[in-house]
């Protein structure tokens, strides 16, 4: 079979410090049959100039909104890229990481083991580094692929994932309520988990740079941070609101026209914007508790759902 077309999608915003290094790490991939499509989300530094310079030197690189720079936010920016680019497979790139040389090759080889006609998502581990690319800590110590786990805690980082075109075709870009979708990678992982394959490769394929200005970075999991969370619920209230919003949007998009493996979870959590109250949510967590790989965390999630039941009521 001919080599598959791979589109690498990158959204940039004031990324002048690390952007050139990231683009060059993509150019240095051992697998060469790719195109890099970049959308700038309203940068006011030299990001666009850097992209234009690489675009002139490498025909595989394209700035898709040249002359139409506008800020729409990271989620909309990545979905605009995905909507307007056609390929067999899609990968997502942050502007400040560094791809290891075999990233595309390793991910593609795993993807090709699956049926192209159903939604597939392959994702890998990450190596945490500082702004100078120093460090060797592996980020994901545990992983999970079940829809009911991913709904409550996403462990799929977009900068490591590859999806196929069958997954893209399940998205109705015009109908999506982007206010309910916290991150593009989370939404894509949920679709793959429910309707196809979500597969993890326990190998770091990128250097995941932490420099203090990341849009989304590694989570602080120290004992002190966990103790603070036990007494300050604001972060976990927001996290549960995000999960419920995903369920609401997932039910709206797929509840009436697709066979759902996790139908009871999706329909029950997807109706909390109308049904949420103390007794309803107490029954819910007893029958269909929020999922985690940690039992204690499931108890805490259940507490948040019941005590803060008013958080989920929306129009």
């Amino acid at each position: 079979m001919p080599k598959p077309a791979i589109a690498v999608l990158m959204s940039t915003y004031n990324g002048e410090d690390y952007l050139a290094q990231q683009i060059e790490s993509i150019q240095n991939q051992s697998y060469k049959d790719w195109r890099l499509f970049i959308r700038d989300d309203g940068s006011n530094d030299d990001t666009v100039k850097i992209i234009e310079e690489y675009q002139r030197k490498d025909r595989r690189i394209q700035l898709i909104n040249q002359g139409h720079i506008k800020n729409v936010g990271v989620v909309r920016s990545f979905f605009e890229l995905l909507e307007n680019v056609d390929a067999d497979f899609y990968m997502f790139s942050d502007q400040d990481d560094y791809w290891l040389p075999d990233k595309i090759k390793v991910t593609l080889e795993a993807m090709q083991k699956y049926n192209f006609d159903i939604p597939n998502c392959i994702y890998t581990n990450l190596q945490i580094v500082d702004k100078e690319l120093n460090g060797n800590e592996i980020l994901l110590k545990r992983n999970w692929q079940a829809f009911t786990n991913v709904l409550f805690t996403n462990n799929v980082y977009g900068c490591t994932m590859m999806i196929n075109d069958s997954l893209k075709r399940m998205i109705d870009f015009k109908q999506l309520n982007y206010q309910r979708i916290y991150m593009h990678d989370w939404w894509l992982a949920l679709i793959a988990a429910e309707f196809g394959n979500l597969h993890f490769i326990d190998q770091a394929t990128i250097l995941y740079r932490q420099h203090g200005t990341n849009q989304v970075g590694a989570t602080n999991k120290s004992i002190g941070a966990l103790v603070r969370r036990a007494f300050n619920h604001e972060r976990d209230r927001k996290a549960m609101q995000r999960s419920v919003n995903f369920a609401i949007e997932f039910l709206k998009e797929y509840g009436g026209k697709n066979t759902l493996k996790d139908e009871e979870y999706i329909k029950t959590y997807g109706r909390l914007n109308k049904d949420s109250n103390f007794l309803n949510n107490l029954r819910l967590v007893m029958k269909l508790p929020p999922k985690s790989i940690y039992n204690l965390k499931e108890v805490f999630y259940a507490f948040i759902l019941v005590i803060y039941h008013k958080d989920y009521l929306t129009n």
Side-chain angles (χ1 to χ4, degrees), residues 181-239:
I181 298 177
Y182 174 62
M183 284 300 291
H184 64 287
D185 50 15
W186 202 340
W187 185 251
L188 298 171
L190 286 169
I191 296 172
E194 185 64 16
F195 300 116
N197 298 294
L198 179 61
H199 178 72
F200 174 65
I201 302 173
D202 194 7
Q203 173 183 339
T205 60
I206 75 165
L207 303 183
Y208 187 54
R209 197 190 310 253
Q210 299 297 289
H211 50 79
T213 58
N214 305 59
Q215 286 274 14
V216 178
T219 303
N220 184 355
K221 297 178 181 176
S222 68
I223 297 297
L226 295 176
V227 170
R228 287 192 294 273
R229 286 176 65 179
F231 291 95
N232 184 348
H233 301 155
E234 189 62 26
R235 173 180 168 182
D236 292 287
R237 287 177 67 177
K238 290 180 179 178

Side-chain angles (χ1 to χ4, degrees), residues 27 66 155 165 168 234-235 253 256 286 300:
Q27 289 177 313
Q66 194 165 11
N155 72 325
D165 195 53
K168 173 189 169 176
E234 189 62 26
R235 173 180 168 182
E253 290 296 312
M286 293 176 67
F300 187 57

Side-chain angles (χ1 to χ4, degrees), residues 3 25 46 56 62 73 125 143 168 171 186 232 243 309:
K3 285 186 177 181
S25 77
D46 284 337
R56 284 193 296 271
Q62 179 182 344
N125 220 321
N143 67 88
K168 173 189 169 176
I171 303 171
W186 202 340
N232 184 348
S243 294
H309 55 87

Side-chain angles (χ1 to χ4, degrees), residues 55-71:
Q55 182 176 240
R56 284 193 296 271
K57 296 176 180 178
D58 192 334
R59 297 178 64 183
R60 296 174 298 176
I61 299 172
Q62 179 182 344
L63 177 61
I64 72 163
N65 63 327
Q66 194 165 11
H68 302 281
I69 307 300
K70 178 183 178 183
N71 182 270

